[in-house]
Amino acid sequence: MIGVVTFTDPRPTALSEEREEAIKQKHNYLIKELSNEFEVLDLNAELGKYEGEIFGINSVEESIKAGRIAKSKGLSGVILGLWHWTESNLVTYFLKEANLPILLYSDGDPAWAGATCVTSVGASLWESSVNEHALRHSRVIGDVELVKSWARAVEAVGELSRKRLLLFGGPYTLGMEHLMDDLPRLKKFIGDFMMLDQYVILHEDVSEEDVGRFYSWLLEKMKVKFDEKMLTPDSLKRQIRIYLGAKKVWERYKDEVAGVSVKCQPELSEIYGTTACLIPAFFPFNADAFGEKPIVPATCEGDIKGTISSSLLYYLSGKPPLFGDIKYVDDEIIIIANCGASSLYYARLSDDPEENLRAVTVQGQCQGKSGGALTYRTPPAEFTVTRLIRRNGEYYLLYFLTEGVEITEEIEKKLKWGKQWPHTAIKNPLDAQDFISVMGANHLSLIPGDYTEELKFAAKIWGIKAVDLNDPLDVREFLL
């Protein structure tokens, strides 16, 4: 839920019926625009300001009361309507009590002193620094769409702060030290972590009837290429059991889980003997053999920062995030290909799950003892790409907006290792050398659409540096 609160001039001699009517109309217009997408709490209504002569908050007592209401209602953030002059300390009192992310907004109407108010209040918040939200507040003038981007960001950040990551097998995988992490510090971004051994998945009581139903459904909906070694009916059913076991565990905690990661290698892929590829394929997808299902961000290799990246994209957009390895880079393109599966949504980028499933082929893996990879090639679209990284103990959010690239026959012919994997090609925002130099992970997450403003706001709320790989200055400063 997003809060909206409007302030006004507290001086009795400044009382103006025209002003109060104007700011009431502006306040209500903003709420109407936001209510098309968000649940909005009108704090002026909570204070009974519609019944009085003065609509805006104009006293210390009201500021404190409004802040306490905002805090008690569990708001993700509050938009402050600063349409005309108010005294900055009223906002300071409000923020001391609310202690929530805030955005200072004015519509830029030249009839009133909104710009004066936003700059005065913003400067005072920096000066007082009463809490982290005072230092990291945002300011927007005359752009409701940008306000909505901020609202998406605070709702996503708020949701992540209240939820946990479900990790089947803890990091790190295959000696990748960047998958090791400082879990207490990561609680800046995520509520908590639930670490369960992979054995928990295998121990779940999954019925043969459910496995058979899923197996028949898979053969009906996708192309399945059995072979004599890697992908057999038995190994496919073992993969199905892994997925259904993980799903049953998730269902016990679903209301509190933001995302899932599975450490497949080597415990499942080599020791148990079957890869867990149906988890990253179907968790971030809206259907399986049992019908419609929630989208759950999912990653591999116990990649916590990657799971946070994917979960952030999901809560910003509501779209299934793709997760995968940076497989190939040149001056023109980047190819992302996860080791066996990524969200099946990207097979056709269709809202119809049947259309996506028809474009997927299940065939033998190129690693592990047995199992199938889920093969597709993502069609071109506009994508937002991001990755939370850590360097020398400091976190950064790398991101960029890019266009998808068709994987042509020429590109296809060059693929060898992992050709069975799902592949997504995107334009490189940098040259190959700079991209390799700046990248703090071998995994990326992406979603269709432009959510770059939301990512910038999210990083600001978190208090970390956002690095736009489309901005040469951002990249140079990071590489210094």
Side-chain angles (χ1 to χ4, degrees):
M1 190 189 302
I2 300 296
V4 175
V5 62
T6 282
F7 289 78
T8 194
D9 195 327
R11 295 170 293 183
T13 55
L15 178 59
S16 164
E17 291 182 9
E18 183 182 2
R19 181 197 67 218
E20 292 305 303
E21 184 59 32
I23 67 175
K24 183 193 295 184
Q25 290 179 9
K26 295 172 186 295
H27 176 93
N28 287 330
Y29 173 78
L30 179 60
I31 289 177
K32 181 181 176 182
E33 287 294 305
L34 292 169
S35 296
N36 293 327
E37 184 175 345
F38 307 97
E39 183 180 357
V40 180
L41 180 69
D42 184 341
L43 287 165
N44 289 66
E46 293 287 315
L47 292 172
K49 297 296 286 184
Y50 284 86
E51 289 76 42
E53 182 182 7
I54 302 174
F55 177 76
I57 288 178
N58 69 334
S59 69
V60 170
E61 292 75 19
E62 285 184 339
S63 295
I64 292 172
K65 186 175 181 181
R68 288 174 178 171
I69 292 171
K71 188 68 174 177
S72 69
K73 295 291 186 179
L75 302 181
S76 297
V78 183
I79 299 160
L80 277 59
L82 303 178
W83 320 101
H84 187 53
W85 177 255
T86 193
E87 293 180 3
S88 300
N89 68 331
L90 297 185
V91 174
T92 303
Y93 274 109
F94 169 84
L95 190 55
K96 277 183 180 180
E97 297 295 331
N99 196 23
L100 293 166
I102 60 167
L103 179 141
L104 314 182
Y105 181 69
S106 176
D107 60 0
D109 183 353
W112 304 100
T116 307
C117 192
V118 168
T119 50
S120 173
V121 169
S124 296
L125 290 173
W126 282 347
E127 188 72 33
S128 63
S129 304
V130 291
N131 52 41
E132 63 182 32
H133 301 301
L135 287 170
R136 299 175 195 160
H137 74 269
S138 294
R139 308 177 196 176
V140 174
I141 190 161
D143 189 341
V144 174
E145 292 306 310
L146 193 56
V147 173
K148 292 178 183 178
S149 294
W150 178 86
R152 292 186 201 105
V154 295
E155 289 218 322
V157 168
E159 197 70 16
L160 291 180
S161 73
R162 292 185 288 269
K163 290 184 179 285
R164 300 195 277 177
L165 297 187
L166 174 56
L167 308 173
F168 293 113
Y172 61 112
T173 297
L174 302 179
M176 289 187 279
E177 291 169 330
H178 71 89
L179 298 182
M180 303 174 78
D181 232 308
D182 183 343
L183 297 190
R185 283 193 64 196
L186 277 175
K187 290 190 178 183
K188 176 194 288 279
F189 313 109
I190 198 78
D192 206 349
F193 307 92
M194 186 186 310
M195 292 190 173
L196 305 176
D197 194 271
Q198 299 95 321
Y199 176 75
V200 172
I201 299 174
L202 305 180
H203 185 67
E204 282 295 312
D205 183 18
V206 176
S207 72
E208 289 303 314
E209 180 182 354
D210 284 349
V211 171
R213 177 176 172 179
F214 203 109
Y215 177 82
S216 299
W217 178 83
L218 255 179
L219 267 57
E220 176 190 346
K221 300 298 181 182
M222 303 180 188
K223 305 178 191 75
V224 180
K225 295 182 177 180
F226 291 116
D227 55 48
E228 296 181 358
K229 181 180 179 182
M230 295 301 290
L231 185 61
T232 64
D234 180 64
S235 65
L236 182 55
K237 289 176 181 177
R238 284 163 65 89
Q239 285 188 297
I240 292 168
R241 286 190 189 92
I242 292 173
Y243 167 73
L244 293 179
K247 186 181 177 184
K248 287 187 75 171
V249 176
W250 168 80
E251 284 174 344
R252 290 200 288 271
Y253 307 104
K254 60 184 178 182
D255 292 336
E256 54 188 291
V257 170
V260 171
S261 188
V262 60
K263 184 174 181 285
C264 178
Q265 303 180 67
E267 293 88 343
L268 295 174
S269 62
E270 301 289 343
I271 299 171
Y272 178 69
T274 306
T275 56
C277 296
L278 296 189
I279 291 177
F282 280 103
F283 265 75
F285 192 58
N286 62 346
D288 66 13
F290 302 93
E292 188 176 341
K293 57 174 284 296
I295 294 165
V296 183
T299 70
C300 303
E301 297 174 349
D303 186 346
I304 295 177
K305 292 190 288 294
T307 312
I308 293 173
S309 303
S310 289
S311 298
L312 175 61
L313 289 176
Y314 169 68
Y315 283 107
L316 288 175
S317 68
K319 300 174 183 178
L322 181 136
F323 170 87
D325 286 289
I326 300 166
K327 189 180 180 189
Y328 172 79
V329 178
D330 65 24
D331 289 342
E332 302 298 326
I333 67 169
I334 301 160
I335 294 179
I336 301 169
N338 204 36
C339 56
S342 290
S343 169
L344 299 182
Y345 169 73
Y346 290 83
R348 279 294 177 269
L349 292 169
S350 174
D351 292 330
D352 178 3
E354 299 277 339
E355 188 177 345
N356 296 310
L357 294 169
R358 285 194 296 270
V360 177
T361 299
V362 187
Q363 55 187 318
Q365 257 283 21
C366 63
Q367 60 187 27
K369 286 191 176 180
S370 73
L374 290 90
T375 311
Y376 62 77
R377 303 294 182 251
T378 303
E382 181 183 58
F383 296 111
T384 298
V385 187
T386 196
R387 174 68 200 198
L388 181 66
I389 68 167
R390 184 167 64 153
R391 183 182 68 177
N392 193 29
E394 295 297 321
Y395 288 96
Y396 299 83
L397 190 66
L398 308 185
Y399 74 97
F400 58 97
L401 183 67
T402 189
E403 293 290 330
V405 176
E406 182 182 358
I407 297 179
T408 62
E409 287 188 18
E410 182 182 357
I411 295 174
E412 195 74 41
K413 287 177 182 177
K414 295 178 181 179
L415 302 177
K416 185 175 182 180
W417 171 252
K419 189 171 183 176
Q420 309 94 321
W421 300 347
H423 284 63
T424 303
I426 57 176
K427 290 182 180 179
N428 191 346
L430 303 166
D431 61 38
Q433 186 60 49
D434 282 345
F435 183 85
I436 290 295
S437 297
V438 79
M439 191 48 56
N442 61 307
H443 297 142
L444 289 172
S445 301
L446 63 80
I447 49 171
D450 182 356
Y451 291 87
T452 52
E453 293 295 341
E454 287 84 349
L455 289 174
K456 286 190 284 186
F457 280 129
K460 186 172 186 178
I461 295 163
W462 278 338
I464 65 174
K465 170 70 175 173
V467 181
D468 182 358
L469 300 196
N470 277 309
D471 185 334
L473 180 59
D474 262 16
V475 174
R476 284 200 300 272
E477 288 180 348
F478 178 78
L479 292 175
L480 285 177

